[in-house]
Amino acid sequence: MSDQTSTDLRDAVRSRYAEAARAVLEPKPGVTAQSVESSATASCCGGSATDSCCGTGSAALEPDNCFGGPLYGEGETDGLPEEAVLASLGCGNPLAVADLHEGERVLDLGSGGGIDVLLSARRVGPSGFAYGVDMTDEMLTLARANAAKAGATNVEFRKGEIEALPLPGAAVDVVISNCVINLSTDKPAVLAEMVRVLVPGGRIGITDVVAEDHLTPADRAAAGSYVGCIAGALSRTEYLSGLTAAGFVEASVIFTTEAAPGMHSAIIRAVKPAAT
């Protein structure tokens, strides 16, 4: 991929998520973050109502059937600002696989409106801390407003790209992410950055869109847009190989919901080796 193509794709992603954030920050009748996300050719739910991570057919575009609310357990988002829930655009619930503990430090890659950071902050308690990194100014504004409304004091949102995280090495115990890594144009850099910021023995608990191994990059490009979380998705073997090459161990990629033929929401886990 050329530098110009990479820049163009990153700008397209930034523009789409800025628009989704504005839909929450500046409400207009009939316009929601999910409707922006589900718009033609630019949706993590696929490119159309019949090509969706949220299912298929007309029900795919109903908010209760799409990314967001149903991904979280009953009562899990109670007490969070409505704006945080409305801006949730992921493909899974990374907290359900990250196994967070009191006192841990957590980093969310592509933190958006902040829902997973705020939920992480609850899990790790006042002795822990939750960071969010996002490259979109509008999402950062929304996330910081949501943290203030929630009264969360153990959170911080930083502007940056997930290929060059604005944190020092060995800064966190856990890295989470929700349907974001597939949007990166330099996934080896993202995986390497996760290793760098984790403490020895630290772990990742990620949800992402992943392709079956038989789908070639050309197949994925034909199935959906890059900004729509399809064309840029790694295959299961590519994900596992990339995690190993970055230095992770105990890597696993488990398919959950089918997003499109040969494409799945998936749970990704791995561990940074403990110091010897």
Side-chain angles (χ1 to χ4, degrees):
M1 183 181 296
S2 71
D3 290 344
Q4 185 58 52
T5 299
S6 178
T7 298
D8 290 345
L9 287 171
R10 184 180 292 110
D11 288 345
V13 170
R14 182 184 287 109
S15 175
R16 179 59 56 180
Y17 284 90
E19 187 179 353
R22 285 194 294 270
V24 179
L25 288 164
E26 304 164 7
K28 296 180 181 178
V31 179
T32 67
Q34 284 76 20
S35 70
V36 169
E37 188 63 7
S38 299
S39 61
T41 74
S43 169
C44 276
C45 294
S48 70
T50 58
D51 180 14
S52 168
C53 289
C54 309
T56 57
S58 60
L61 297 184
E62 295 296 325
D64 286 345
N65 294 314
C66 203
F67 297 147
L71 303 176
Y72 299 91
E74 184 176 355
E76 192 170 5
T77 61
D78 289 354
L80 291 186
E82 181 183 12
E83 292 83 354
V85 179
L86 289 174
S88 176
L89 299 170
C91 61
N93 180 355
L95 277 76
V97 299
D99 190 27
L100 301 181
H101 302 290
E102 186 86 18
E104 289 189 315
R105 298 160 297 168
V106 186
L107 168 64
D108 182 19
L109 306 187
S111 48
I115 186 169
D116 291 325
V117 173
L118 295 176
L119 290 173
S120 295
R122 282 184 180 176
R123 295 273 186 97
V124 301
S127 62
F129 204 87
Y131 296 96
V133 169
D134 204 282
M135 67 177 181
T136 307
D137 288 326
E138 291 83 352
M139 279 295 186
L140 289 166
T141 296
L142 177 59
R144 289 164 180 156
N146 286 333
K149 288 179 181 178
T153 58
N154 59 335
V155 305
E156 181 182 348
F157 293 95
R158 297 186 179 185
K159 184 175 182 179
E161 296 177 354
I162 61 176
E163 299 85 357
L165 293 168
L167 276 83
V172 296
D173 304 289
V174 187
V175 174
I176 63 173
S177 186
N178 196 347
C179 198
V180 170
I181 294 174
N182 64 77
L183 295 169
S184 172
T185 58
D186 189 354
K187 295 174 182 66
V190 178
L191 302 182
E193 279 292 273
M194 289 195 294
V195 171
R196 182 184 67 81
V197 300
L198 280 169
V199 298
R203 64 194 185 279
I204 65 171
I206 289 170
T207 55
D208 210 355
V209 176
V210 181
E212 294 176 13
D213 288 336
H214 67 86
L215 290 184
T216 66
D219 293 332
R220 294 168 229 168
S225 71
Y226 205 103
V227 177
C229 307
I230 299 294
L234 294 172
S235 71
R236 184 177 184 275
T237 293
E238 288 168 347
Y239 228 125
L240 290 169
S241 298
L243 290 166
T244 299
F248 284 105
V249 297
E250 302 177 30
S252 65
V253 176
I254 300 172
F255 292 154
T256 55
T257 307
E258 185 174 52
M263 307 290 297
H264 303 263
S265 296
I267 293 167
I268 297 96
R269 295 184 177 96
V271 176
K272 178 177 177 177
T276 57

